Amino acid sequence: MLNELTKDDMLCTYYKEWVAVYKEGAVREVTLNKYRLALAWLERLAPTQTLGALDRIAYQSLLNGYARDHERQTCMDFHHLIKGAVLDAVDEGLVPRDPTRKAIVKGKVPRPKKPRYLNQYELHKLLESLELGREASWEWFILLVAKTGLRFSEALAVTPSDFDFSRQTLSVSKTWDYKNDGGFVPTKNRSSVRKVQIDWQLIVQFSALVKDSPQDEPIFVRKGAKVYNSTANHALARACRRAGVPAISIHGLRHTHASLLLFAGVSIASVAKRLGHASMNTTEKTYLHIIQELENKDVDLVMRSLTSLV
C-alpha cells in the first residue's frame, strides 16, 4: 500500500502504487498506458533507486538515461509523467527535497518530420483521386476526416444515426476503442462532444452510402474485426501517391482541415470548437505557425490600408 512505504523503498515501487491509487479509473486507458510505459522505463533505468536517496543528481541521471534513446519532446513527456509522483513523495516526507527542481530535459536530435498537412490544391487533388465505391472503405474514411477534421477514433465510431442530413450535421459523442478490444468509449474530453456542420456534397454522398446500413453500428468497422491506425495510414499513403501529393497521416488530414479553415479566415474559437479542443490554447499551440503567417498577412494589410489614407 502507498501509505506503508518508507524512504528505503524503491522509486519504481512507489510509482507503481501511486499510479494505481491516483490514475487508475481517473484517466482514459490510453493515458494510463503512458504511465505504465513510464514505469517500465523506471524499472529499466533505476531499478535500485530508493526514495530517500533520490536527489537532484539521481533524478537528472534518470532523465539523461531516458534521453539517450528519445527525442526531447518525448523526454519532456516522461519528465511530466514522473514528476507528479515524485512531488507527492516529497510532500509525504519520503524524498528529502524536490529533486525535479531545475531539471534539464535533453534528448536526441529530432528526425526529419514528414509533411503534417496538405495545402488546398493538394487536398483537392487527393479528394478527386479517391475511389469511392458502393461500400464503406478507407477511401470513404479519408473523405470523412478531410471534410470534418475528426480524430481517428472519432471517425471510426461514426454510425449512420450520427448523421442528421436535414440539419447538415454530424454528431460526435463517442470514440472507438481500437487500441484494445474495440467497442464504443467516451470522447477524449467533454469539449469533444459536439455537432460538426457538414457540406451538402458530403450529405449526398454519405446518405447514399449508409442508406441500408444498421443505424447504430460503426460504418467503418466490421463486426468482430480489429482495426489498426497503421492500416488507415497506409491506405492514405497509397491515395496520396496516386494523387501525386505528399504522403501524410490520417492525423495529418485533421491538421489539413484545421489549417485550411484558419487560412480561410475562420476564427480560432470556431476551429477549436469544430475540432473538439478543450480550449483555444490547444488550437493556438498546435497551429502557431499558421497563426503567425496570418498575423504577418494582417500586418501587411494594415500597412497597405494606412498608406492608402494619404
Side-chain angles (χ1 to χ4, degrees), residues 123-124 127-130 132 140 143-144 146-148 163 165 167-169 197-210 274:
L123 180 62
H124 180 71
L127 297 186
E128 264 195 337
S129 74
L130 292 180
L132 303 174
W140 279 100
L143 175 65
L144 181 68
K147 287 288 195 83
T148 62
F163 287 95
F165 295 118
R167 291 184 172 85
Q168 293 190 215
T169 61
Q197 205 73 29
I198 53 180
D199 65 87
W200 66 267
Q201 190 176 25
L202 198 68
I203 286 171
V204 171
Q205 292 170 308
F206 268 84
S207 60
L209 178 69
V210 305
R274 188 172 176 87

Side-chain angles (χ1 to χ4, degrees), residues 1-10 13-15 17-18 51 94:
M1 295 291 290
L2 194 62
N3 57 3
E4 296 176 355
L5 297 179
T6 69
K7 294 181 179 180
D8 296 326
D9 283 300
M10 301 301 162
T13 303
Y14 178 87
Y15 188 73
E17 293 292 329
W18 181 85
L51 292 165
L94 300 176

Side-chain angles (χ1 to χ4, degrees), residues 146-202:
K147 287 288 195 83
T148 62
L150 265 58
R151 299 178 177 94
F152 178 67
S153 58
E154 292 173 342
L156 284 178
V158 169
T159 66
S161 63
D162 291 326
F163 287 95
D164 187 335
F165 295 118
S166 62
R167 291 184 172 85
Q168 293 190 215
T169 61
L170 173 62
S171 293
V172 180
S173 59
K174 57 196 177 301
T175 64
W176 189 258
D177 191 15
Y178 69 95
K179 290 187 177 180
N180 295 299
D181 298 321
F184 296 118
V185 292
T187 55
K188 186 175 183 179
N189 50 55
R190 283 186 297 177
S191 302
S192 296
V193 177
R194 63 201 188 276
K195 289 187 185 295
V196 178
Q197 205 73 29
I198 53 180
D199 65 87
W200 66 267
Q201 190 176 25
L202 198 68

Side-chain angles (χ1 to χ4, degrees), residues 215-255:
Q215 288 298 295
D216 295 316
E217 292 183 14
I219 298 169
F220 299 105
V221 182
R222 293 179 181 174
K223 187 169 288 188
K226 180 74 175 173
V227 180
Y228 298 95
N229 186 275
S230 58
T231 306
N233 283 330
H234 288 150
L236 176 55
R238 287 195 299 272
C240 287
R241 285 196 295 271
R242 189 170 66 235
V245 302
I248 61 170
S249 65
I250 291 292
H251 198 68
L253 271 184
R254 177 171 159 88
H255 286 312

